[in-house]
Amino acid sequence: MNPLIPSAKTIQIYLPKGNPRGLRLAEMTTRTVRLIEIPRIHIDDFFAMPDANQVGLYFLIGDTDSVEKPFLYVGQTGDLKRRLNQHDDKDFWTRAFVMLSTNNSMTQTHALYMEHKAIATAIEVGRYELKNGNNGNLPHTPEPLKADCEELFHTLDVLLSTLGQPIFESLSISRFNNKNVNTVASVSHANQVAIQTDKISHYPEPILFYCKAIDAEAKGYYNDDGFVVLAGSLVRKKQINSVGKWGIRKQEEMINSNLLVEYDSKSYKLKEDYLFKTPSGAAQIVTGRNANGWLVWKNEAGQTLDSVYR
């Protein structure tokens, strides 16, 4: 059985201090990867653990009022305690996520390879604002070791999402087009693993919904995080009073961030896939008025989002 094919999974989350808002250790029961969530205020609790002295990959994450996306810094080290102490001068992060091996089998080469892949994937996905000054160093990696790294990375992806950090989950609809994942004999096993890992989604292919209104024509899909409006959708420029202060401010933010670009005298075009927290927020920006997204978004059969999901 291919371990990369989506299937039911058992994930254990352990609270070493009994505090659900403190340290959390997540493991997939059939794998050797451990992911530890560390609130910055509890960093000393992590430093007291034996895990703090291991080789590992780490993610520093923080929210800010100045940008919409969370900040992210990705790093690797042969000594997690020493390296995280060196990041004490970075003000932006409020939580660290540390990946390590449950059997001490992770080497510096593993960590370097996954750091490089993590940075490249996070940049491509675009859900976080990266604070790294470089893309990491891709080490010489023998094929067997590369295959190991790809499977470890897949487990990391699942555990990060489980703990609420979908760093590597693309919003693009193209990530679901994995029905015909083919590899040829000339492709190495490690590269086959990489191709499969990159293309296989944790979720079934979504149902597309459409919103058509005056000077607006958009499509998107509903997911666990909210409603994703897809790139290329047309958004009405003119907003009426019912759109409210949030809608006015949101449109301005999206224009200033170059997410909405000029299409014609009446419409903007959405430059990239964009996640709204609610279907109604998405509909409001698309139509330029107050709108109930559960009724405005309809699939090809004319069914509303409400009738399909609620």
Side-chain angles (χ1 to χ4, degrees):
M1 177 177 170
N2 188 338
L4 297 180
I5 294 175
S7 60
K9 296 172 177 64
T10 299
I11 295 174
Q12 296 178 339
I13 297 178
Y14 171 60
L15 310 177
K17 296 293 183 178
N19 178 4
R21 301 293 293 167
L23 293 184
R24 297 198 294 171
L25 281 65
E27 295 178 17
M28 199 179 297
T29 54
T30 56
R31 304 296 169 83
T32 61
V33 173
R34 175 178 297 148
L35 184 70
I36 306 177
E37 179 180 3
I38 311 163
R40 189 166 187 168
I41 195 172
H42 297 299
I43 191 73
D44 287 338
D45 290 337
F46 172 68
F47 289 160
M49 297 170 60
D51 287 340
N53 301 312
Q54 284 199 43
V55 173
L57 186 69
Y58 63 89
F59 304 82
L60 306 180
I61 295 174
D63 293 309
T64 175
D65 294 329
S66 61
V67 296
E68 199 164 282
K69 299 176 182 178
F71 284 136
L72 169 67
Y73 181 92
V74 182
Q76 59 76 34
T77 179
D79 185 336
L80 285 162
K81 180 179 180 178
R82 180 184 61 80
R83 187 68 179 124
L84 290 176
N85 261 321
Q86 291 174 347
H87 287 305
D88 190 54
D89 62 339
K90 289 183 170 64
D91 294 331
F92 74 88
W93 66 279
T94 56
R95 308 183 92 75
F97 291 79
V98 168
M99 174 202 176
L100 45 84
S101 169
T102 58
N103 59 3
N104 290 311
S105 61
M106 187 183 296
T107 67
Q108 200 81 45
T109 303
H110 285 100
L112 283 166
Y113 180 94
M114 287 189 289
E115 178 194 41
H116 184 272
K117 183 176 177 69
I119 294 171
T121 306
I123 290 172
E124 181 181 0
V125 168
R127 294 182 72 152
Y128 290 69
E129 191 77 23
L130 253 72
K131 299 286 283 183
N132 289 75
N134 58 62
N135 294 334
N137 298 313
L138 182 61
H140 170 69
T141 313
E143 291 294 314
L145 189 59
K146 184 176 180 182
D148 287 346
C149 288
E150 292 295 339
E151 293 196 35
L152 291 171
F153 192 86
H154 174 71
T155 304
L156 169 65
D157 182 8
V158 174
L159 292 177
L160 278 169
S161 292
T162 300
L163 294 182
Q165 302 296 335
I167 296 171
F168 307 126
E169 288 186 17
S170 174
L171 297 175
S172 173
I173 197 74
S174 63
R175 76 182 173 116
F176 298 97
N177 298 332
N178 53 39
K179 296 178 180 177
N180 297 308
V181 178
N182 295 317
T183 55
V184 295
S186 61
V187 178
S188 70
H189 171 69
N191 284 331
Q192 289 182 25
V193 173
I195 291 167
Q196 289 177 320
T197 304
D198 287 340
K199 287 182 176 287
I200 290 174
S201 167
H202 307 315
Y203 306 101
E205 187 170 346
I207 301 169
L208 284 179
F209 288 83
Y210 303 85
C211 177
K212 295 183 179 180
I214 299 172
D215 305 322
E217 186 170 349
K219 64 180 178 180
Y221 66 91
Y222 186 55
N223 71 6
D224 295 330
D225 299 315
F227 194 90
V228 179
V229 180
L230 297 177
S233 294
L234 298 183
V235 173
R236 188 184 185 191
K237 282 186 177 181
K238 184 178 180 181
Q239 293 182 315
I240 62 176
N241 291 337
S242 67
V243 79
K245 292 181 179 179
W246 176 86
I248 295 170
R249 186 174 66 253
K250 190 67 176 178
Q251 188 192 72
E252 288 177 353
E253 287 177 1
M254 294 179 74
I255 292 170
N256 292 336
S257 301
N258 204 34
L259 289 166
L260 291 177
V261 296
E262 196 80 15
Y263 178 73
D264 60 24
S265 61
K266 296 183 178 181
S267 306
Y268 293 114
K269 180 184 253 186
L270 184 62
K271 196 173 179 181
E272 60 184 60
D273 303 327
Y274 190 82
L275 174 66
F276 290 88
K277 292 182 179 179
T278 66
S280 293
Q284 195 169 328
I285 293 302
V286 168
T287 63
R289 60 177 175 80
N290 187 33
N292 184 340
W294 291 98
L295 301 179
V296 168
W297 293 101
K298 298 179 181 180
N299 64 15
E300 285 186 336
Q303 298 171 301
T304 65
L305 193 66
D306 179 80
S307 66
V308 173
Y309 285 106
R310 296 204 298 190

